[in-house]
Amino acid sequence: MSIPASTTPSSSQQVPNPWQAHAVSIRSIQQEIDGVSTYDLAFDNAAADGTYRFSPGQFNMLYLPGAGEIAISVSDDPARSASSCRHTVRTAGNVTRTLGKLQPGDTLGLRGPFGTAWPMADCIGRDVIIVAGGIGLAPLRPAIYTLLRERRCYGRLNLLLGARSPGTLLYRSEFAQWEERGLVVQTTVDQSTPDWTGNVGVVTLLLERLRSFDPTNSVLLCCGPEVMMKFTAVTAQHRGIPPERIWISMERNMQCAVGLCGHCQWGPEFVCKDGPVFRYDRIARWIDVERL
Ligand SMILES: Cc1cc2nc3c(=O)[nH]c(=O)nc-3n(C[C@H](O)[C@H](O)[C@H](O)COP(=O)(O)OP(=O)(O)OC[C@H]3O[C@@H](n4cnc5c(N)ncnc54)[C@H](O)[C@@H]3O)c2cc1C
Ligand code: FES
């Protein structure tokens, strides 16, 4: 299926040879929260290192010999000068458990980057609302770094983040720095703890109460569980944001990552090449279909 130019973020980087897995070494591992760590990967080959570029929202396929290959979003700053690339991974099953046993200096394979990107160009001159649920903040972090680096190009910036509990708020140590640079961060949790004095409830409540934005000139970027993205899109439209300025990032099981195997098919879309970032009006009718 061809994608109308207006719905395809123009900044997506295309990979020259999608089948070529580059050897990368783990430079460092940072535990973010329980069961979630960020792996900083450095290319072993200088030529691959020199040509690798990604756009906010894109993902790589990480290959662990003997275990398998998985799609993981890049959670780094696209303009980061160091020749390394961070990925934030939640331990889920076989491949992520195998990754969790590796140490700095160990090697794995990396193909990519793949997929569509967040529409950073469409954000210029507009208020931007980022809505994230749990580890859904990982694919949005490159967009946050981009917005803050070019802060003067954008209007008001809001991050609304939901998590199961205070201890599962991702990247919490960066919030103060983000706020200093002009991003208003609001958080909410499903389950509070005795020391939590913040919001309790679903993240859409934060969107319902948000005042500091102009709905007629805002872009909303959202990533999290599917049900959360669906209700965020509904709430955003009630608040006056048109569906063509709401963007969500989808997940499906992936194998080839280039639109050939069909594993990631979602209605008429292939999440690996038509997504993972979709403009909401384009996929609104699929998000309502359970188990599609
Ligand atoms: C475009 C894209 C970007 C992603 N970015 C990240 C990321 O930044 N960080 C991260 O931790 N994970 C990310 N994921 C999810 C990650 O690919 C899966 O968690 C991983 O494949 C699980 O592999 P596993 O072998 O460890 O677990 P498995 O044994 O394969 O699966 C464990 C559990 O997760 C479910 N699962 C497996 N794959 C997926 C999937 N693709 N979508 C939804 N549920 C799945 C399975 O049904 C099972 O319940 C992304 C997925 C996609 C498609
Ligand atoms: S992963 Fe093969 S078609 Fe998308």
Side-chain angles (χ1 to χ4, degrees):
M1 167 173 286
S2 67
I3 309 170
S6 63
T7 67
T8 309
S10 55
S11 57
S12 299
Q13 305 286 340
Q14 299 305 321
V15 59
N17 178 357
W19 307 114
Q20 187 177 6
H22 300 287
V24 289
S25 300
I26 300 177
R27 179 180 277 190
S28 65
I29 304 171
Q30 178 179 338
Q31 184 172 9
E32 303 284 357
I33 52 175
D34 199 21
V36 177
S37 293
T38 295
Y39 297 80
D40 195 351
L41 305 177
F43 287 87
D44 291 355
N45 178 314
D49 177 33
T51 54
Y52 182 86
R53 298 278 179 282
F54 74 96
S55 298
Q58 288 196 292
F59 67 95
N60 287 317
M61 296 299 289
L62 301 186
Y63 172 56
L64 287 107
E69 199 183 30
I70 51 169
I72 299 292
S73 307
V74 190
S75 63
D76 216 330
D77 185 345
R80 200 166 182 244
S81 54
S83 56
S84 59
C85 196
R86 288 179 293 173
H87 298 71
T88 302
V89 183
R90 182 173 58 88
T91 303
N94 186 33
V95 181
T96 46
R97 261 200 308 271
T98 305
L99 180 63
K101 290 179 189 149
L102 300 188
Q103 301 294 328
D106 288 341
T107 55
L108 54 145
L110 181 153
R111 290 193 292 135
F114 297 110
T116 53
W118 298 112
M120 303 315 299
D122 285 1
C123 295
I124 292 172
R126 300 188 197 276
D127 295 337
V128 183
I129 305 166
I130 293 173
V131 186
I135 197 170
L137 186 56
L140 283 160
R141 190 165 70 161
I144 292 173
Y145 289 144
T146 303
L147 293 167
L148 294 180
R149 197 179 43 257
E150 301 157 358
R151 179 69 191 86
R152 279 172 301 175
C153 299
Y154 309 100
R156 289 162 287 191
L157 304 180
N158 282 284
L159 167 63
L160 311 179
L161 174 64
R164 279 198 313 278
S165 61
T168 62
L169 284 164
L170 199 59
Y171 307 139
R172 213 170 164 180
S173 62
E174 292 188 57
F175 292 174
Q177 204 189 7
W178 292 353
E179 295 226 77
E180 266 169 37
R181 295 172 65 193
L183 175 70
V184 178
V185 180
Q186 290 192 61
T187 55
T188 183
V189 298
D190 296 335
Q191 286 168 336
S192 117
T193 49
D195 57 339
W196 177 253
T197 54
N199 298 298
V200 178
V202 291
V203 74
T204 46
L205 289 174
L206 300 181
L207 184 57
E208 274 170 24
R209 293 186 208 135
L210 190 66
R211 290 287 162 263
S212 57
F213 75 107
D214 172 5
T216 64
N217 191 34
S218 293
V219 177
L220 184 140
L221 315 178
C222 179
C223 186
E226 263 177 63
V227 65
M228 168 267 190
M229 293 196 287
K230 178 178 156 181
F231 285 107
T232 297
V234 169
T235 307
Q237 288 172 91
H238 282 154
R239 297 297 316 271
I241 302 175
E244 64 273 16
R245 275 196 265 108
I246 299 169
W247 299 77
I248 66 166
S249 182
M250 290 296 297
E251 276 193 14
R252 280 292 177 276
N253 182 21
M254 290 199 179
Q255 301 269 310
C256 72
V258 289
L260 292 176
C261 72
H263 274 88
C264 70
Q265 190 163 6
W266 182 46
E269 314 280 356
F270 289 120
V271 172
C272 65
K273 72 174 181 62
D274 304 325
V277 176
F278 289 98
R279 209 174 80 175
Y280 186 72
D281 57 337
R282 177 175 167 168
I283 49 78
R285 66 204 142 126
W286 310 124
I287 208 160
D288 271 336
V289 183
E290 275 184 37
R291 289 192 285 275
L292 183 66

